[in-house]
Amino acid sequence: MERLIKANDVELCTETFGDPSDPPILLIGATMLTWPDAFCERLAALRRFVVRYDLRDVGRSTTVDPDAPGYTLRDLVADAAALLDALNLPRAHVVGEGVGGWIAQLLALDHPERVATLTLVGTRPVAPGPVDPDLPDHEPALMEAFMNAPKVDWTDRGSVVAFQLAGDRATGGRDFDEDEARARIEAVYDRTPPGADPGKAHRANQMGTVFAALDCGDRWRERLPGIAVPALVIHGEDDPFFPLGNAEALAAEIPDAELIVLPRTGQGLPSRTWDTVVPALVRHTA
């Protein structure tokens, strides 16, 4: 059951799965629905205590104005550490996907005592903005498609779902499952809190407008060799938003990191990848 937990002076909508006496896994994505119920339940059935949550300005957590966030990336990292405090978890196995991967990297660097192992899914070692010359940037065709996308009516559910589905189709890889993606997008949209602007809430749930306006502070890529916990990097072979070279850099620069490449997969972890990902996470967090 979802509940609001006070952490770092905000309320974070949080949900847990499994037995609190089992090893804890903190899942960090833009929205808690980055991690579907069935994915969390599979981990819980394999004796992991799973925690997922909405970032601030996302889903049902504290929302002020996702188009003009009055906080920094480091505040989101502090939120994650404070959530562990609120749940009485001294340490956790931390898994970050996409934008959540930036939070996970900084949690391991700035709060190393809180991180038992680190897993990074579909992310990169630098913040939004110009990419380092040795890293592959967003594929040009993808960015051109984003820039020329049809206008969306953010107040209309059907328009928003169609718009987001087109984006997911462009980033989903060769084995993209449109029905699964549509169901996830609809579930995210339908979690809009009562009284909230559904368009703004959905944009926040996708986290694009938030990170575009967020102060991400100092670089951290040069600090990656200082990560001292076991690290696992999982990445889609076909990811055009954060192409595979970003994962290869993470795996090369974090000491002894393991890299798993998901064939014919773009962004995210579609359910067809779970037979690979779930056992890997259980092994990694043993």
Side-chain angles (χ1 to χ4, degrees), residues 139-173:
E139 289 188 1
L142 174 69
M143 300 314 293
E144 183 177 351
F146 282 171
M147 294 301 156
N148 295 306
K151 287 191 64 175
V152 58
D153 179 356
W154 290 105
T155 66
D156 179 77
R157 184 178 187 271
S159 178
V160 171
V161 170
F163 174 81
Q164 189 63 47
L165 189 59
D168 282 12
R169 190 182 298 115
T171 61

Side-chain angles (χ1 to χ4, degrees), residues 25-28 35 39 92-98 100-105 108 115-123 227 229-235 250 254 258 260 269 277 280-285:
I25 295 183
L26 178 66
L27 301 177
I28 309 175
W35 317 99
F39 179 82
H93 302 280
V94 175
V95 183
E97 191 271 343
W102 296 327
I103 297 170
Q105 290 172 66
V115 179
T117 65
L118 177 66
T119 302
L120 302 173
V121 181
T123 190
I227 292 177
V229 297
L232 174 64
V233 180
I234 301 174
H235 210 94
L250 284 166
I254 299 173
E258 177 187 358
I260 295 177
L269 295 177
V277 172
L281 282 176
V282 171
R283 181 184 72 249
H284 183 59
T285 59

